[in-house]
Amino acid sequence: MPTIYIDNVPYEVTAGKNLLEACLSLGKDLPYFCWHPAMGSVGACRQCAVKIFKDEADTKGRLIMSCMEPVRDNLRLSIEEPEAKEFREHVIEWLMTNHPHDCAVCDEGGSCHLQDMTVMTGHSYRRFQFKKRTYQNQYLGPFLNHEMNRCIQCYRCVRYYKDYAGGKDLDVFGAHNHVYFGRAEDGVLESEFSGNLAEVCPTGVFTDKTLKQHYTRKWDLTMAPSVCHHCSLGCNITAGERYGSLRQITNRYNGEVNGYFLCDRGRFGYEFVNGPARIRKALVRTKLPEAVSREEALQEVTTQLKTARVIGIGSPRASLESNFALKALVGEDNFHSGVSDTDYDMVNMSLKILQSTPARTFSLREVEKADAVFILGEDLINTAPRLGLAVRQSGRQQPLETVMQASIPYWQDAAARELVQEQHGPLFMATLTATKLDEIATATLHASPDTIARLGFAVANLISAGSPEVTHLSEEEQALAEQIAQALVKAKKPLIISGCSTGSEAVLEAAANLTAALHAQNPETGLVLTLPECNSMGLAMLGGHRLDSAFAAIHNGYAEAVIILENNLHRCADKAEVDRFLGKAKQVIVLDHLHHATTEKAHVLLPAGAFSEADGTLVNNEGRAQRFYQVYPTAEDIQESWRWLAQIGQALHVPLMSQWENIDDVNRALMEVEPKFRSLEALAPPAGFRISGQKIPRETHRFSGRTAMFAHHNVSEAKPPQDPDSPLSFTMEGYRGQPPSPITPFFWAPGWNSMQSVNKYQDEVGGHLRYGDPGIRLIEPGQDGLNRYYHDVPEDFQPLKDHLFVLPLPHIFGSEELSSFSPGIAERAPKPYVALNPRDAQTFGLEAGEILSFTLNHQTFRLPVKLYPELSPGTAGVPRGLQDVPFFEVPAWAIILKPEPAWKNQPHTIS
Amino acid sequence: MLTTEEIAQIEHEISLVPQRKAACIEALKVVQQHRGWVSDESLKDTATMLGMSAEELDSVATFYNLIFRQPVGRHVILLCDSISCWVMGYEQIRDHLIQKLQIKYGETTPDGRFTLLPNVCLGTCDRAPALMIDDHLYQNVTIEELDDILHHHR
Amino acid sequence: MERPLTKHIHPDREPLSLQEYERVGGYQAVRKALLELSPEVVVTLVKDSNLRGRGGAGFNTGLKWSFVPMGPDVPRPKYLVANADEMEPGTFKDRLLLEGNPHQLIEGMILASYAIGADISYVFLRWAYKKAAQGIVKAIQEAYNAGYLGQNILGTGFSLEMHLHTGVGRYMCGEETALLNALEGKRAMPRAKPPFPQVSGLYGKPTIVNNVETLCCLPHIVNHGAEWFKGLSRTQDAGTKIYGVSGKVKRPGAWELPMGVTIRELVEEYAGGMLDGYKFKGALPGGASTDFLVEQHLDTPMDYTSIAAAGSRMGTGTMIILDDQTCPVGFVHNLQHFFAQESCGFCTPCREGLPWVEKVLLSIDRGEGRPEDMNILDFHTKYLGPGNTFCALAPGAMEPLQSALKYFREDFERHIHDHQCPWK
Ligand SMILES: Cc1cc2nc3c(=O)[nH]c(=O)nc-3n(C[C@H](O)[C@H](O)[C@H](O)COP(=O)(O)O)c2cc1C
Ligand code: SF4
Ligand code: FES
C-alpha cells in the first residue's frame, strides 16, 4: 500500500485510486462536484484542487485536481495550503455567479451538496455585480422537476444519464457559459433510471417531483432504513415521512446490492401508501358501512375461527414474518402460497436450482464485475430493473482491460471511454422480443421460451458433454451457440442470468445446466435468477401448497374459512375460479393495505401496514434476507400483518404464538421451527439493542416543529410513540454517532447534509458500508449437494394455425401491483394491448391499433394490436399484471376468433 | 423529410467514417447547405439516419456556431469582430450595416435577404477589417465599398 | 535569404499543380524517405533538426512523434492530423501555406505519417478558408492519382489515406484533443492529458496532430538535412518562420524569415513601420493568447527561447500591434470577449471566469469601473493559470490581460478614476 503525505502526515492508501478518493476515504473534507464514486473523474469542476509538492524541500508546490491525480507512493500534498483553499473558495464563487441563490424555495435545500461545499470552502461574499443568465425549464414527466437556473454545469447528469445508464434523451446543449442540460424538447424522460438524477445532481436542477407535491425538508423527515418492495432484487431505500404520510424514497447505499442507484419504479412507486385505495380501518361485512375497532375486529375473527377449519393463503409481497405468522396460525398443512401456478413452479424451481448449483449467485456488485453475460428469457429492465443497470456496467469489464493495459486508470472516465469507444464486453441476450439492453448486446435471439431454452441447452452441451445434446438446431442457432460458448469459456467471471418471467421451466433448466457446465471449468462462474415479487424467495423457502389445493380444500369441505394475507387472488388465478372459491368459503378474512377485487369479498378486512408502517424481512432473489423498518407510527388501526396474526393466534391459544410480543419473538420462533432461517439471528440488532444506553433516532437533530405539529389536536406535546420492535426511536433523541449499517435511518455527517455524506459511512468511497453491508445470505451454493444436469430438452416451438402462443410481457411501470397504484407510475404504464408479429397480424388481417379477439382458458379477450417485429411468429405478447387486464395463466395457447367487423368500432374493452 | 439528394450525400459521408455517428457534423453541413439552416424536423430526420437521438445530435449542433438552428436569410453576413479588425475599426462597418439593413446582430432583413452575424477572426488580419458573405471573403472593407458589396448579393 | 516554405508561393496566382510542384522538386522528399530511410531514421532526423511545433506550444516535433507506439502489434489504424484550424485572432500564417501550396502540406503529411506509421490522415481545416479547401481537395486528388496517396505508395508497401475535414466554427477545434473530438463528430471539448493523443487519440487510436507550418517544414528537412535546417535560423531555434504583423502598420502581412528576426525588424522593416501619426505601444508577439511585449522588447529576437525570456510566448509568430491611439482596455476587452465566447464551457474557472473578466473590462471601458475591479482582474490572472483550468484556452486568455495589467496599469486606473475612456 502506498504512503502519501497529506499536510505532512503520512497515510497508507489503496493503490490505483485517485487522490480525491484517497482523501475522502481517509475522512478528509475535500469538496468536489463532477467526480462521482460510481462514475469516476473528468476534471470539469476544478473544485477538488489541492497542492502537490515535488519533495519535502518544495515549498511552492503546484495546484492539481485531486480527482485526476493517481495515488503514488511518497506523494506529498496539502489540502490546507492557503492558495489551494483560496482557489477552492473561488471555484464556488465562480459557480455562484449565475446560481439563483434560491435555497429558501429550492427542494434541494438542506440536502444540497452545493450548499455543503459552499460552506466547506468558506465562500460567503458576493463580488460578482452583473446580471445572471436565466433559462427556461422543461416538463420532464411525472417524476422529475427541472430548474435549470440552479445548474452548476458539473456535467454529472449527462454522464450519468447517457454514459452510465444508457439514456438517449438528455444531453447538453450550447457552449461557453450558456450550456443547457435537458431534452431536445419538453417531454417525459425515457430512462427507467431517471430518478437517480435527483441524487446525482449536486444541486436542485433535477428534483423529485413526487416529493414536491408534499414537500418536506430532509431535516424534517422521520426516516427509517427500508427495502424496496417493487421487485425481487431488494434494493435498499431510505423512506421518509412527515405528518403521517410517506414523502420520499431515496437510495440507501448498500455496497453489495444497489450501490448508489435505484430504478424509477422503486423510487417513485411509494405513493400507493398515501393513496385513496388504502385500507385504514377494520371492516366487518355484517357491520358495514361502519368501521369497527381493532378489538371488535379481532373479536369477530376469533369467533369465526373458533368453530371453523381454516386455511391460510400467504403472499410473495408480504414479509417473511407475516407469512410465517400465518403458517404458524393455520398450521403447515393448511398454508398455501398465494401465487399463480406458473409462478409457483417457476419460483420453486429457481429455489431448487440456487440450492443445488455449485455456482454463487452474484450480488449486483458482482454482476457489475462479470465480464461475459448470457441472459436467458429475462427482459431485465422490466423484470429486475436495477439488475439491468448492473449488466450495463458489466459490459465495460472487458474493454476496461484494454484501458488498464494502456496505463489509463479506470476512473479516468472520459479517457477510458474514449479509448474503448463503443466496445462492449460479451453480452448475449435470448429474449421473447426486443429489449432495451439489445443495443449493447453482442448477439441477440428473439424467440419463444422453448427456442430460448434450446439455445441455452445447446451452449451448455458445447461447454460440457454432461449436459444433453440439442438436435435439429438450425445452422444459425448452432453458430450462435458456439459464439456464446466461446465467450463464456474465455471469460474470467462469466455470468448466467435467467428468471421466472417467461413462465418456462425449460429456460430455467437450461440456465442451470449452463451454470453447472461453466462452473465445472471456472469456479468464478455466477448465476442470477430473477423472481416475480419482492419476497417470492422468502415465501418459497417457507414452503406452502399450491393455490389450487386451497381452492380444493374449500370446495371439498375440508375447510370453511380462509385467511388471505396481503394478496389479491385475482392476480394469481382466473377470476371465475377465485370468485367461486371466495363465494364458497364461509369466512373470508383478508389482511391487506389496498382495496382490490379480493378485499371486496372479505367478511373481515384487517388493515395491514404497508412497508413503511411495518417491520419485516424480505428475502431477495439472491437469497439475501434484509430487514426493513417501520418509518412512522401507524395511523388509525393499521398494524403489521404478523402482529394481527399474532393477536389472532393468541386469542385462539396457538401455543407457538403465545409469547409473540414483537418482531424478535416472531423471528425466534421462525428460527426454531425452520432451521434454514437460523442465520437470521445476525440480520439486525434486536429491539433491545442500545448504544451508550440510547436508541437510534429516526429524526435528524434539526427536526423542527415537533412541539407544534400536533397542536391542532392538543396543545400539550404528546408522549412520543414507542417502537417495541426495533432499536430505533420515533424521535430526534438518541445516539448521534453512526449506528450499525442495517439500522442506519439516514446518512448524515457534520458538514455533509446531502446524500454524498454516505462517503463517511463506507470503509472506502464506493466500497462497503462500515461494519458490513446489510443482509444475510440464506442460501449457499451447492448446499443440497444435488448438482446435476437436467435432461429434458424441449422441442422447437411450432406455430399452430388459428392459434397464438401467448407470452407475458413485463413492464417496469404497470406490471407490479403496489407501485401501479401510485399516480406517476400509473401514468407511465402502458394501455392494454396484444403484441403480434407483423406477419401474424397480416394473416389475421389486422393492423396496428385494431382489435384482436381471442379466447384463453375460457375467457375472451379483445385487445388492440401492437406490432412487434421482433416477436416470434406464432406467439403473442400480453402485458403482465396490468390492472386493467384480467389474470390468465401464461404462457398458454389462445384460440383466435374471427374478427367481427362491428367490434372494430367499439372502444377497447376486455370481457 | 430529407431529400434523396441529401440522404445520398449523408450516406456518402457515413461511408467515410468508422461509426455512423462520426459523420454527424458532415451530415448537418449537408442539410444546411441545402436548406440554409437546420430545422428541428431536419435535425430529427438526420438523427434518425445516423442512429442518434435528437438530443445527441442537437448537443453537437448547438455547440458549433456555424450550424444555424434558426432560419437565416438568403445571404449570411459574417462580420469579423476579433482583435485586428477591431483595431482597424470594424465597429464602423458594423454600425453602418446595422443602420443600412435595419437589423441587429442575429436578425434577418424582412425581405429575407440578409442575416447579420458577428464572427471570430477570419484569418485575414493583414487585410482588416474583413467580412464574409456566404463563401465570399471581403478584405480591407471600407464603408464606401459596403453598398457595392451588398449589391452583389441579391 | 532562403525561403523554403514560401519560395513557390505567389499569393496572386493559383497554387502549384502536381506537375508544377514536382518540377520544382516536389515529392522528392517522399521518394527519398519512403525508398531510402526507415521511419526511425525520419524521426531521428526531425528530432535532430530541432524543428519545434509551429502551432503555438513549440514542442520538438520529432520528440513528440517518438511517443507513438511502433511495431507490428500496436493498435491500428494510426492517424495523422494536420491542424489547419487557425482561429487564433491575429493569426493568418497557415492560410498562406494552405492557399499557396497545398502539395507541400500533403508531402509533409505523407512524411509525418510514414515516420509514425499512420494509416489515415486528415486535414482539419477551418470553415472560413474556402479557397484553401478547393486547393486541398484538388491536390489530394492529384496525389492519389500520382500514387503518392493510397495503397502501396511508390511500391514500398506503405499506404496512406487522406481526407479533408472542414470545421463548423469554434476556436476550441484548434486545441488538439478537442480537434479530435470534433473529427469524431462530437462537441469540441478538450480531453484530459494523459493519456496523450500519441497513445489514445482519434477513435482511441495513436494519433499525431501537427500544425500546418510544422508539416510544411518536413519535406525540406528530409531533402536537405537537419544541419541545413538549423542553419536557416539566426538563433538556437531552427528553421525559418512565417511571421506576420497586423494592426496600424504601413504594410501588414506575413513573411517567411529566418527564425530569430527581431520585433523591431518585423515592425519597422517588413511591415514598413507604424502608420503615420501612430506610435508603437505594445504587441502581442504570437497571436491573441500571448503576453504583451512593449518598446523595451523591440530588439528581442522572435524565437521560442528569446520571447519566452522576455516574458511572452512565441505562439504562432503572428504579431498584433497596439498603437498609442488605441485604448488598451478596449483592446483587452475585445480579446476577452473572444475567449469568453469560445470557452467550451467544460471547466468552471474558464466558463464562469472569462465572462466575468469580460464584463468587468467592459464596465471599466465604459467608465463604470470601480477600484475593486482591479482586484477581480488580478485574481483571475492569478487563478486561471495552466493546470487550474482543464485546457490551455483560459490560461492563454490571461496572458494578454496579465501583461496589460503590468505594462498599462495606469491606463486601467485612469479609466476608473476618470469614469471615462481617455481615448473616446
Ligand atoms: C485553445 C487552443 C487553440 C489552438 N488552436 C490551434 C490552431 O488553430 N492551430 C494549431 O496548429 N494549433 C492550435 N493549438 C495548439 C494545438 O493544441 C497543438 O498544440 C498543435 O496543433 C500541435 O502542433 P505542433 O506540435 O505542430 O505545433 C491550439 C491550442 C489551444 C489551447
Ligand atoms: S479552459 Fe476549460 S472551459 Fe475553457 S476551453 Fe478549456 S476546458 Fe473548456
Ligand atoms: S471533482 Fe475534481 S475536478 Fe470536479
Side-chain angles (χ1 to χ4, degrees):
Chain A
M1 291 225 302
T3 300
I4 62 171
Y5 294 80
I6 304 178
D7 291 303
N8 295 320
V9 181
Y11 296 92
E12 288 215 328
V13 294
T14 316
K17 304 262 171 185
N18 60 58
L19 284 184
L20 176 61
E21 289 175 307
C23 290
L24 292 173
S25 295
L26 290 168
K28 304 278 174 201
D29 284 343
L30 187 54
Y32 61 86
F33 289 113
C34 64
W35 172 82
H36 185 285
M39 299 192 284
S41 314
V42 290
C45 72
R46 318 311 274 179
Q47 186 60 70
C48 63
V50 296
K51 271 247 165 119
I52 57 169
F53 303 90
K54 278 206 284 293
D55 46 41
E56 248 168 304
D58 179 4
T59 51
K60 212 163 151 268
R62 69 187 168 95
L63 281 179
I64 52 114
M65 299 308 130
S66 58
C67 71
M68 299 293 276
E69 194 75 15
V71 157
R72 267 176 284 128
D73 202 19
N74 287 322
L75 185 137
R76 311 188 74 89
L77 71 127
S78 169
I79 299 176
E80 296 304 327
E81 197 274 343
E83 240 175 50
K85 279 176 78 170
E86 198 179 66
F87 182 75
R88 296 197 298 263
E89 187 183 333
H90 288 312
V91 171
I92 293 283
E93 181 177 31
W94 281 314
L95 292 174
M96 286 294 167
T97 57
N98 282 304
H99 188 78
H101 295 87
D102 60 343
C103 305
V105 295
C106 174
D107 291 1
E108 195 81 356
S111 50
C112 175
H113 188 59
L114 177 60
Q115 282 180 333
D116 290 346
M117 299 300 101
T118 303
V119 174
M120 188 179 291
T121 62
H123 167 71
S124 57
Y125 179 74
R126 183 173 181 78
R127 294 188 294 171
F128 184 80
Q129 295 254 319
F130 305 94
K131 269 197 186 151
K132 297 173 185 179
R133 51 127 178 74
T134 52
Y135 291 117
Q136 298 247 312
N137 303 317
Q138 290 181 323
Y139 167 77
L140 298 177
F143 298 148
L144 287 173
N145 199 62
H146 192 221
E147 180 58 62
M148 246 315 283
N149 289 334
R150 298 180 185 137
C151 177
I152 57 162
Q153 291 87 15
C154 67
Y155 289 78
R156 264 188 181 187
C157 57
V158 281
R159 293 180 54 224
Y160 163 73
Y161 196 89
K162 289 174 65 184
D163 299 347
Y164 191 89
K168 307 278 182 287
D169 60 330
L170 181 91
D171 221 314
V172 50
F173 308 104
H176 46 88
N177 77 335
H178 221 275
V179 284
Y180 187 92
F181 297 83
R183 298 186 80 251
E185 55 196 14
D186 285 33
V188 178
L189 279 174
E190 284 160 13
S191 168
E192 294 79 4
F193 307 95
S194 67
N196 295 315
L197 288 174
E199 287 177 30
V200 162
C201 172
T203 175
V205 178
F206 300 97
T207 52
D208 180 339
K209 207 181 218 174
T210 66
L211 170 67
K212 197 169 200 66
Q213 279 150 24
H214 40 221
Y215 183 70
T216 302
R217 297 251 177 246
K218 176 181 175 180
W219 71 65
D220 278 343
L221 287 169
T222 303
M223 288 171 277
S226 190
V227 176
C228 178
H229 275 51
H230 302 299
C231 88
S232 67
L233 298 176
C235 293
N236 291 197
I237 55 176
T238 298
E241 170 265 4
R242 190 164 174 95
Y243 291 117
S245 74
L246 187 58
R247 299 292 168 105
Q248 186 188 29
I249 298 298
T250 50
N251 185 66
R252 177 165 63 101
Y253 184 89
N254 181 320
E256 278 300 333
V257 187
N258 45 299
Y260 290 90
F261 305 118
L262 297 174
C263 81
D264 287 358
R265 184 203 273 175
R267 186 182 297 272
F268 302 113
Y270 72 93
E271 285 187 292
F272 74 92
V273 172
N274 307 323
R278 274 310 294 278
I279 301 161
R280 298 180 185 280
K281 292 269 188 202
L283 296 171
V284 174
R285 182 163 298 279
T286 53
K287 299 184 178 163
L288 284 174
E290 296 299 312
V292 301
S293 71
R294 229 182 241 187
E295 292 68 33
E296 274 175 288
L298 274 173
Q299 184 65 50
E300 181 73 28
V301 172
T302 30
T303 323
Q304 290 188 4
L305 292 188
K306 254 190 197 127
T307 55
R309 290 257 284 190
V310 58
I311 57 168
I313 298 179
S315 168
R317 61 167 164 85
S319 67
L320 198 57
E321 288 81 358
S322 293
N323 276 300
F324 172 65
L326 180 60
K327 186 175 174 183
L329 179 65
V330 299
E332 185 169 356
D333 287 346
N334 301 325
F335 179 65
H336 304 264
S337 317
V339 299
S340 71
D341 284 352
T342 316
D343 282 358
Y344 187 87
D345 294 337
M346 293 298 288
V347 174
N348 280 310
M349 178 91 192
S350 302
L351 174 58
K352 203 164 95 190
I353 291 171
L354 292 188
Q355 286 170 338
S356 58
T357 184
R360 261 183 75 75
T361 317
F362 278 2
S363 68
L364 290 180
R365 173 187 282 260
E366 290 170 292
V367 170
E368 290 179 355
K369 297 276 174 283
D371 60 346
V373 182
F374 182 18
I375 300 175
L376 291 103
E378 291 300 302
D379 173 358
L380 291 182
I381 301 292
N382 287 305
T383 61
R386 181 65 186 79
L387 175 60
L389 189 60
V391 167
R392 260 194 185 280
Q393 313 317 312
S394 75
R396 300 194 64 211
Q397 284 309 307
Q398 285 205 7
L400 274 178
E401 287 185 15
T402 339
V403 172
M404 314 285 209
Q405 279 157 22
S407 313
I408 300 170
Y410 67 93
W411 43 259
Q412 271 279 12
D413 192 50
R417 287 182 193 273
E418 182 55 42
L419 187 77
V420 306
Q421 296 280 314
E422 310 266 295
Q423 282 176 55
H424 291 280
L427 167 64
F428 300 94
M429 315 245 316
T431 49
L432 304 179
T433 184
T435 77
K436 271 208 169 175
L437 286 178
D438 289 5
E439 62 178 25
I440 56 163
T442 318
T444 56
L445 172 78
H446 299 127
S448 72
D450 283 347
T451 313
I452 291 172
R454 285 167 59 82
L455 176 68
F457 277 113
V459 178
N461 174 259
L462 286 168
I463 297 170
S464 162
S467 182
E469 204 181 328
V470 182
T471 51
H472 311 301
L473 275 182
S474 73
E475 251 173 58
E476 287 145 52
E477 284 168 330
Q478 184 64 34
L480 179 58
E482 280 166 22
Q483 186 190 5
I484 299 173
Q486 263 179 23
L488 292 174
V489 167
K490 245 179 43 198
K492 293 198 188 97
K493 275 181 163 242
L495 169 63
I496 305 300
I497 298 179
S498 189
C500 302
S501 78
T502 60
S504 158
E505 287 181 59
V507 169
L508 282 177
E509 290 174 355
N513 278 15
L514 256 169
T515 312
L518 267 174
H519 187 271
Q521 301 189 4
N522 180 354
E524 297 289 301
T525 302
L527 172 69
V528 173
L529 300 178
T530 72
L531 309 177
E533 303 283 343
C534 59
N535 200 23
S536 291
M537 181 63 88
L539 180 62
M541 289 179 76
L542 275 177
H545 306 289
R546 270 176 192 279
L547 197 51
D548 49 15
S549 55
F551 296 171
I554 293 288
H555 288 307
N556 65 23
Y558 168 80
E560 298 89 36
V562 56
I563 303 177
I564 301 170
L565 169 67
E566 301 184 23
N567 207 330
N568 180 358
L569 296 184
H570 292 82
R571 289 177 66 90
C572 34
D574 283 347
K575 180 175 187 314
E577 216 177 318
V578 175
D579 287 346
R580 212 154 17 96
F581 162 71
L582 293 174
K584 181 84 191 289
K586 286 216 187 65
Q587 320 292 348
V588 178
I589 296 153
V590 182
L591 302 92
D592 211 343
H593 23 263
L594 294 172
H595 283 291
H596 46 64
T598 300
T599 59
E600 263 172 40
K601 301 282 157 75
H603 299 123
V604 180
L605 181 56
L606 303 176
F611 75 95
S612 55
E613 300 149 335
D615 294 77
T617 303
L618 299 181
V619 187
N620 80 352
N621 69 316
E622 327 160 46
R624 177 189 299 267
Q626 301 188 100
R627 177 64 60 81
F628 59 95
Y629 290 87
Q630 186 170 359
V631 186
Y632 48 100
T634 48
E636 294 155 279
D637 291 334
I638 296 169
Q639 59 181 352
E640 293 99 333
S641 292
W642 56 259
R643 188 158 256 132
W644 279 114
L645 293 165
Q647 288 161 357
I648 297 169
Q650 282 155 12
L652 294 174
H653 307 292
V654 177
L656 181 62
M657 305 171 88
S658 65
Q659 303 294 318
W660 290 7
E661 292 295 328
N662 70 7
I663 194 166
D664 293 338
D665 301 330
V666 183
N667 273 301
R668 205 169 304 118
L670 171 65
M671 288 182 274
E672 246 170 59
V673 181
E674 316 240 9
K676 57 176 163 267
F677 292 107
R678 215 175 290 141
S679 44
L680 286 182
E681 183 82 61
L683 181 62
F689 175 85
R690 298 289 181 275
I691 306 177
S692 318
Q694 292 174 297
K695 282 197 150 203
I696 291 141
R698 280 179 173 89
E699 291 165 358
T700 70
H701 58 293
R702 300 199 175 113
F703 189 85
S704 65
R706 83 175 205 198
T707 54
M709 57 198 296
F710 296 111
H712 56 303
H713 294 305
N714 191 339
V715 287
S716 51
E717 193 186 341
K719 182 173 174 290
Q722 296 302 303
D723 181 355
D725 297 310
S726 82
L728 298 171
S729 81
F730 284 116
T731 65
M732 57 198 280
E733 280 81 19
Y735 179 67
R736 283 275 151 243
Q738 290 193 0
S741 47
I743 48 169
T744 301
F746 51 85
F747 296 116
W748 180 87
W752 296 76
N753 298 289
S754 83
M755 192 57 86
Q756 314 277 330
S757 53
V758 72
N759 291 338
K760 305 276 182 194
Y761 288 75
Q762 296 163 329
D763 58 1
E764 59 177 356
V765 289
H768 299 284
L769 287 175
R770 234 176 265 157
Y771 322 119
D773 293 310
I776 298 275
R777 288 268 196 130
L778 298 177
I779 303 171
E780 286 310 316
Q783 68 183 42
D784 71 358
L786 286 176
N787 182 33
R788 63 186 176 89
Y789 289 111
Y790 293 90
H791 282 277
D792 295 333
V793 179
E795 292 298 312
D796 206 357
F797 173 75
Q798 295 298 335
L800 263 183
K801 190 167 181 301
D802 295 330
H803 285 67
L804 284 170
F805 192 57
V806 177
L807 302 165
L809 297 183
H811 286 274
I812 177 171
F813 306 123
S815 290
E816 192 269 335
E817 184 185 3
L818 297 179
S819 59
S820 63
F821 282 91
S822 302
I825 303 283
E827 188 181 326
R828 299 285 307 274
K831 299 273 169 295
Y833 68 88
V834 56
L836 295 186
N837 182 287
R839 262 171 43 203
D840 290 328
Q842 206 182 6
T843 311
F844 301 125
L846 291 172
E847 293 188 20
E850 294 182 332
I851 305 294
L852 176 76
S853 307
F854 56 93
T855 59
L856 215 168
N857 215 357
H858 315 302
Q859 293 187 81
T860 302
F861 293 81
R862 297 190 190 92
L863 293 169
V865 169
K866 277 193 188 174
L867 298 181
Y868 276 42
E870 305 290 337
L871 197 66
S872 272
T875 68
V878 172
R880 181 189 166 105
L882 287 198
Q883 286 196 29
D884 302 340
V885 182
F887 172 83
F888 52 97
E889 200 82 57
V890 275
W893 286 101
I895 306 166
I896 307 306
L897 302 174
K898 292 272 167 297
E900 290 177 41
W903 290 351
K904 288 194 177 181
N905 304 324
Q906 283 176 6
H908 308 159
T909 54
I910 307 143
S911 57
Chain B
M1 281 267 285
L2 299 177
T3 62
T4 37
E5 202 188 335
E6 285 168 322
I7 291 171
Q9 286 180 9
I10 294 173
E11 282 299 346
H12 172 71
E13 294 300 340
I14 291 171
S15 73
L16 298 176
V17 288
Q19 302 151 7
R20 288 184 84 81
K21 286 180 188 182
C24 76
I25 294 176
E26 297 300 330
L28 290 166
K29 284 199 295 202
V30 168
V31 173
Q32 184 158 305
Q33 210 172 34
H34 286 267
R35 297 161 192 254
W37 66 296
V38 182
S39 67
D40 288 354
E41 196 206 336
S42 319
L43 182 101
K44 276 185 205 156
D45 294 343
T46 313
T48 311
M49 244 192 105
L50 295 163
M52 301 169 86
S53 67
E55 279 79 7
E56 275 179 286
L57 185 59
D58 208 11
S59 175
V60 176
T62 54
F63 183 85
Y64 295 99
N65 52 354
L66 291 169
I67 296 297
F68 303 137
R69 290 283 285 110
Q70 280 175 31
V72 291
R74 287 199 297 288
H75 308 289
V76 179
I77 307 175
L78 296 173
L79 178 65
C80 175
D81 66 355
S82 290
I83 190 64
S84 304
C85 289
W86 179 82
V87 170
M88 300 310 285
Y90 95 89
E91 284 169 325
Q92 286 161 17
I93 310 284
R94 176 195 64 196
D95 295 346
H96 185 84
L97 280 170
I98 286 174
Q99 211 237 326
K100 164 114 186 135
L101 301 172
Q102 287 293 304
I103 49 171
K104 298 203 281 286
Y105 274 155
E107 291 180 350
T108 303
T109 51
D111 60 359
R113 190 166 152 212
F114 288 115
T115 298
L116 177 63
L117 293 173
N119 199 73
V120 297
C121 179
L122 291 168
T124 180
C125 318
D126 51 343
R127 306 269 188 277
L131 58 82
M132 273 182 96
I133 301 182
D134 307 336
D135 286 358
H136 302 270
L137 176 66
Y138 297 94
Q139 301 166 314
N140 291 326
V141 180
T142 60
I143 291 178
E144 294 70 46
E145 286 168 1
L146 265 184
D147 293 356
D148 224 31
I149 292 175
L150 294 180
H151 200 74
H152 272 98
H153 302 272
R154 297 262 86 223
Chain C
M1 195 161 59
E2 281 193 86
R3 294 193 295 116
L5 270 58
T6 54
K7 191 163 157 199
H8 303 291
I9 292 178
H10 306 282
D12 28 353
R13 265 192 255 152
E14 283 298 297
L16 302 189
S17 69
L18 181 89
Q19 283 78 13
E20 288 164 339
Y21 183 61
E22 282 182 324
R23 210 172 306 133
V24 297
Y27 291 108
Q28 282 309 319
V30 165
R31 286 180 187 280
K32 179 170 171 190
L34 267 59
L35 296 170
E36 295 166 24
L37 309 177
S38 71
E40 295 74 40
V41 171
V42 178
V43 174
T44 312
L45 174 66
V46 173
K47 218 189 280 179
D48 291 347
S49 78
N50 198 15
L51 169 63
R52 296 178 66 169
R54 307 297 198 231
F59 196 77
N60 181 301
T61 303
L63 191 60
K64 176 161 153 179
W65 292 353
S66 66
F67 301 126
V68 175
M70 298 296 283
D73 300 329
V74 300
R76 295 220 102 110
K78 291 193 266 183
Y79 295 96
L80 176 95
V81 184
N83 188 344
D85 194 55
E86 191 158 73
M87 264 173 85
E88 175 95 358
T91 304
F92 48 98
K93 66 176 182 82
D94 294 339
R95 181 199 279 267
L96 184 71
L97 296 168
L98 292 161
E99 289 181 354
N101 194 356
H103 277 294
Q104 177 173 253
L105 171 65
I106 292 170
E107 184 170 16
M109 289 173 69
I110 298 171
L111 292 169
S113 300
Y114 178 69
I116 63 165
D119 308 273
I120 303 177
S121 58
Y122 289 93
V123 180
F124 190 103
L125 182 71
R126 75 169 295 191
W127 152 96
Y129 287 2
K130 304 283 178 188
K131 185 175 167 207
Q134 287 171 4
I136 292 166
V137 167
K138 178 164 170 265
I140 290 177
Q141 197 50 54
E142 286 176 336
Y144 267 107
N145 294 345
Y148 294 124
L149 289 173
Q151 294 297 307
N152 193 16
I153 299 168
L154 304 178
T156 59
F158 174 66
S159 304
L160 180 68
E161 299 300 322
M162 187 175 291
H163 307 285
L164 171 69
H165 175 98
T166 52
V168 275
R170 275 292 167 220
Y171 173 55
M172 274 312 294
C173 293
E175 198 283 333
E176 59 180 356
T177 59
L179 179 152
L180 298 176
N181 278 334
L183 263 182
E184 289 182 22
K186 300 178 179 155
R187 293 160 65 87
M189 314 279 253
R191 299 175 180 171
K193 295 192 254 190
F196 289 91
Q198 290 95 314
V199 178
S200 176
L202 191 61
Y203 302 109
K205 297 290 194 290
T207 303
I208 283 285
V209 180
N210 272 138
N211 173 257
V212 167
E213 188 184 348
T214 314
L215 291 163
C216 288
C217 292
L218 298 173
H220 309 289
I221 294 173
V222 170
N223 279 333
H224 304 296
E227 289 313 313
W228 167 85
F229 189 71
K230 287 188 203 159
L232 294 174
S233 161
R234 285 204 208 156
T235 64
Q236 70 272 45
D237 291 335
T240 58
K241 176 78 193 79
I242 302 195
Y243 294 107
V245 177
S246 66
K248 298 244 165 77
V249 290
K250 291 210 175 90
R251 284 197 308 273
W255 313 272
E256 182 182 10
L257 300 169
M259 183 71 80
V261 295
T262 66
I263 301 175
R264 189 186 299 283
E265 282 172 278
L266 278 172
V267 177
E268 291 176 4
E269 222 169 283
Y270 294 97
M274 298 299 291
L275 283 178
D276 295 336
Y278 291 90
K279 268 174 55 194
F280 177 95
K281 183 168 172 125
L284 304 178
S289 50
T290 56
D291 283 273
F292 275 104
L293 293 178
V294 290
E295 234 182 316
Q296 76 199 60
H297 302 114
L298 278 174
D299 293 313
T300 313
M302 284 278 280
D303 66 37
Y304 296 94
T305 321
S306 316
I307 294 287
S312 185
R313 277 189 319 118
M314 169 82 152
T316 58
T318 41
M319 181 183 298
I320 309 151
I321 301 224
L322 170 68
D323 57 81
D324 63 337
Q325 292 175 41
T326 298
C327 170
V329 177
F331 191 103
V332 178
H333 169 256
N334 177 279
L335 294 174
Q336 298 310 321
H337 168 73
F338 167 84
F339 287 115
Q341 181 182 311
E342 294 306 316
S343 163
C344 76
F346 188 62
C347 72
T348 307
C350 170
R351 182 188 62 240
E352 309 294 342
L354 294 182
W356 191 356
V357 166
E358 180 198 348
K359 290 188 168 93
V360 166
L361 288 169
L362 183 64
S363 65
I364 296 177
D365 191 39
R366 286 186 175 150
E368 295 159 6
R370 306 159 309 157
E372 312 84 280
D373 288 343
M374 295 302 283
N375 300 338
I376 290 174
L377 297 180
D378 287 337
F379 139 73
H380 280 92
T381 59
K382 177 169 180 203
Y383 280 119
L384 294 193
N388 297 1
T389 56
F390 191 83
C391 82
L393 182 137
M398 288 303 102
E399 293 185 18
L401 177 62
Q402 75 200 8
S403 47
L405 288 171
K406 178 164 145 200
Y407 296 119
F408 317 125
R409 199 166 188 98
E410 316 86 81
D411 292 327
F412 284 74
E413 283 163 353
R414 213 157 105 218
H415 280 78
I416 293 172
H417 184 262
D418 298 352
H419 298 294
Q420 65 171 31
C421 171
W423 281 272
K424 277 193 190 130

